[in-house]
Amino acid sequence: MKAAIIVTLLLSSSTMASSPLSEELTAEQLDMVIQMSVNQMKADDEFTKMASCVNQSEAKVESVFREVMRACVEKHMLEEDDEKTTACLVSNFSEKLGVSAEKFTICTAED
């Protein structure tokens, strides 16, 4: 999942760079980035792995991912700081799933 988060950040960066205004993603662009990330994560069974690791349903993990991804990208997109965005993702994702940041990090590192 960590790889998926990084891919998502790269996708959002490239989308921002290709945007004529490059200052912020439109709602449609952000939806597209999130959907592309979700599709890739489903193809790689990332939601299945994460759900098993945190003892939650796949639907819950996917829903939380969509919500957290939107919030963190919107909050940090102008800064173009991957570390802040990743910290936001880890903090919010783990909180909403009811696990520690350490547990979340372990789950995202598992293959």
Side-chain angles (χ1 to χ4, degrees), residues 81-100:
D81 186 335
D82 289 349
E83 287 184 26
K84 282 185 181 178
T85 306
T86 300
C88 179
L89 291 168
V90 169
S91 172
N92 286 286
F93 210 121
S94 59
E95 180 183 319
K96 291 188 181 298
L97 290 176
V99 299
S100 69

Side-chain angles (χ1 to χ4, degrees), residues 1 7 15 25-26 37 41 75-76 84 97 102 110:
M1 184 149 182
V7 168
T15 303
L25 292 172
T26 65
S37 298
M41 291 173 73
K75 182 175 181 179
H76 296 289
K84 282 185 181 178
L97 290 176
E102 292 79 17
E110 291 180 357

